[in-house]
Amino acid sequence: MIIISIVLGIIIGTSFVFDLFYGKIPNKIIVVGFLLWFPCVYLDGGFYRVITSFGSMLLIGSILFLIYLFRGIGAGDVKLMALIVSFLSFNDGVKLIILIFFVGAFFGVIKVLMLLVYRVSDKEVVFDGKSIKFTGPILTGYLLML
């Protein structure tokens, strides 16, 4: 489990940096993550764990894809969260996704409050107020889950 935690930490941290500076999560990170997924999960629990982990990734990934269709999150965020869930058990994956959305809602409230303060003080708005970089809540939620 320590190896999985380290691999996920590196993948999530790298995704966060790319999303912060370039505004997107490169598919190369996701591909590397899925290449590391099979050996890590197989060593953790055997072939049965691989099958159950793949099933939970498909189920939770499908739900996240529906959220993406309603423009709730970006495609890179869906792929990253599906990758994260594939490394975890179903229960841990669901808990993490719920935690990520709570952290995202908290970040969103903070951003809206900051936007209101800037509007009231007649200062120049530095951010658009439309969306948040969702890799921030993903990284925060993962660190809280550890």
Side-chain angles (χ1 to χ4, degrees):
M1 194 65 182
I2 292 175
I3 294 172
I4 289 177
S5 298
I6 292 170
V7 168
L8 280 177
I10 292 170
I11 290 170
I12 295 169
T14 307
S15 299
F16 174 73
V17 169
F18 271 92
D19 194 23
L20 191 63
F21 289 109
Y22 301 109
K24 63 182 249 177
I25 302 169
N27 286 331
K28 290 178 184 178
I29 295 173
I30 305 300
V31 169
V32 168
F34 277 115
L35 291 175
L36 294 172
W37 164 76
F38 182 81
C40 287
V41 172
Y42 183 78
L43 290 173
D44 188 47
F47 193 67
Y48 177 76
R49 172 95 160 77
V50 171
I51 297 298
T52 57
S53 138
F54 185 74
S56 64
M57 178 199 56
L58 286 178
L59 178 64
I60 294 174
S62 299
I63 294 168
L64 292 171
F65 182 71
L66 291 174
I67 296 171
Y68 161 75
L69 290 177
F70 289 104
R71 303 184 57 85
I73 55 177
D77 301 322
V78 170
K79 292 182 280 188
L80 180 61
M81 286 192 280
L83 173 65
I84 294 167
V85 166
S86 71
F87 279 88
L88 305 173
S89 68
F90 180 76
N91 289 337
D92 288 342
V94 170
K95 288 176 190 175
L96 180 61
I97 296 299
I98 291 170
L99 182 60
I100 287 170
F101 278 106
F102 273 115
V103 171
F106 178 74
F107 283 11
V109 167
I110 297 297
K111 187 165 186 175
V112 168
L113 290 175
M114 288 175 64
L115 184 62
L116 289 173
V117 167
Y118 276 112
R119 284 189 179 170
V120 169
S121 65
D122 292 331
K123 292 184 179 179
E124 182 179 334
V125 177
V126 196
F127 49 89
D128 62 2
K130 295 178 186 175
S131 64
I132 60 172
K133 300 287 185 192
F134 215 71
T135 51
I138 292 171
L139 177 63
T140 306
Y142 178 70
L143 291 174
L144 288 172
M145 184 111 170
L146 283 179

